[in-house]
Amino acid sequence: MKPVMIVTGAGRGIGAATAIMAAQKGYAVAVNYRSDKASADQVVAEIEADGGRAIAVQADVVDEAAIVAMFETVDRELGRVDVLVNNAGVVDQISRVDDMSFDRVDRMMKINVVGPFICAREAIKRMSTQHGGKGGAIVNIGSAASHLGGAGEYIDYAASKGAIDVMTEGLSKEVAGEGIRVNTVRPGVIRTTIHASGGNPDKPDVAGEVIPMGRIGEPEEIANAVLWLAEAGFTTGALIDVDGGV
Ligand code: NAP
């Protein structure tokens, strides 16, 4: 039996790179997507063409029933989850706080904070030795924004990722005695579509100038850290910065 990994938001970007690298390392992978089925199917096809095992599973991480159904589908089709990667996340248009609507901040917190919490809950029910599980790992995708703050750009996003840092600290201690490790990778600017969807399509082209290493990162460089944390048996509660030195 292959170990099982669920990657939320795995149709493109960091999630897709993580799913593909995980399959190469022997995981059976659940490729979660919200709306872009074609991209998720493409990731599954790439994994299968390489001899790996993967399924695409639709669930919006703001929909509790959909999250529960996703975990049940994975139970049935791949087996009990060993690693959850809380990757799905969004930014929004560049804005000061005094221009932010209630709906914008509400959506940001639901997708970037509530979703990861509920996915973690479902993972813990399956991994925890208290629930008859054999342990596991949760890897969250945070952001360098949580220590930079996002001023003039997206403080709501930065704050949502700050919540992920704190969740990592607390949850890692809460479940450490139950065989579950909880860690977070904090990417800097990475070459994905998130910048265009947040109304900042030029960011990958200009961000390198203010990054000490002089370039932005690639999705595979984040996937590499996620896969390391998935296997790092004595590491929990860690915030791993993969950001070119910002
Ligand atoms: P991306 O290219 O925009 O991809 C985001 C993925 O998340 C898509 O597959 C999307 O699915 C999915 N998604 C969005 N909302 C969802 C929801 N409500 N439920 C389920 N899936 C959802 O983003 P990315 O750059 O790879 O970012 C991945 C993670 O890294 C995010 O948490 C982001 O905050 C974090 N991060 C990124 C950067 C960066 O520079 N790229 C830097 C720091 C942190 P659909 O296509 O189906 O909508």
Side-chain angles (χ1 to χ4, degrees):
M1 290 286 284
K2 287 172 179 273
V4 174
M5 178 182 286
I6 297 174
V7 185
T8 64
R12 53 197 155 92
I14 291 167
T18 301
I20 290 164
M21 193 177 288
Q24 288 166 348
K25 290 187 182 293
Y27 286 91
V29 186
V31 176
N32 162 255
Y33 66 97
R34 171 182 50 181
S35 52
D36 187 356
K37 182 176 187 306
S39 294
D41 285 343
Q42 179 62 38
V43 171
V44 169
E46 192 174 328
I47 288 171
E48 288 176 342
D50 204 23
R53 172 98 172 97
I55 58 170
V57 193
Q58 195 281 330
D60 188 327
V61 299
V62 302
D63 181 341
E64 182 178 16
I67 292 172
V68 171
M70 172 175 71
F71 275 81
E72 289 171 350
T73 299
V74 174
D75 288 341
R76 271 195 318 275
E77 296 196 22
L78 299 179
R80 191 183 292 209
V81 63
D82 295 287
V83 180
L84 165 68
V85 182
N86 266 325
N87 168 76
V90 292
V91 294
D92 210 321
Q93 306 297 307
I94 291 172
S95 174
R96 285 169 50 98
V97 168
D98 39 359
D99 286 326
M100 284 181 192
S101 68
F102 179 95
D103 286 348
R104 168 192 166 122
V105 181
D106 187 48
R107 169 179 171 269
M108 183 76 69
M109 297 303 161
K110 280 189 176 134
I111 297 174
N112 290 5
V113 182
V114 180
F117 262 84
I118 301 305
C119 289
R121 181 191 78 190
E122 291 306 307
I124 292 164
K125 284 181 184 174
R126 289 158 174 84
M127 294 173 179
S128 169
T129 52
Q130 276 197 12
H131 295 293
K134 56 180 175 50
I138 297 171
V139 183
N140 301 307
I141 306 299
S143 173
S146 72
H147 65 87
L148 296 172
E153 201 172 7
Y154 41 45
I155 295 175
D156 53 346
Y157 173 74
S160 76
K161 294 301 187 177
I164 293 301
D165 291 357
V166 177
M167 184 256 247
T168 304
E169 181 69 33
L171 188 58
S172 64
K173 293 187 171 91
E174 189 164 286
V175 297
E178 301 164 31
I180 306 174
R181 295 177 302 101
V182 185
N183 294 290
T184 286
V185 179
R186 301 197 298 188
V189 180
I190 307 300
R191 194 183 312 281
T192 74
T193 55
I194 201 169
H195 311 290
S197 60
N200 199 358
D202 299 332
K203 188 162 182 171
D205 298 323
V206 296
E209 292 165 20
V210 294
I211 296 170
M213 283 183 66
R215 67 170 179 88
I216 65 166
E218 301 298 331
E220 292 73 20
E221 294 180 292
I222 305 305
N224 202 32
V226 172
L227 267 296
W228 183 79
L229 285 171
E231 303 295 329
F234 198 47
T235 300
T236 196
L239 308 176
I240 304 288
D241 294 327
V242 185
D243 60 10
V246 293

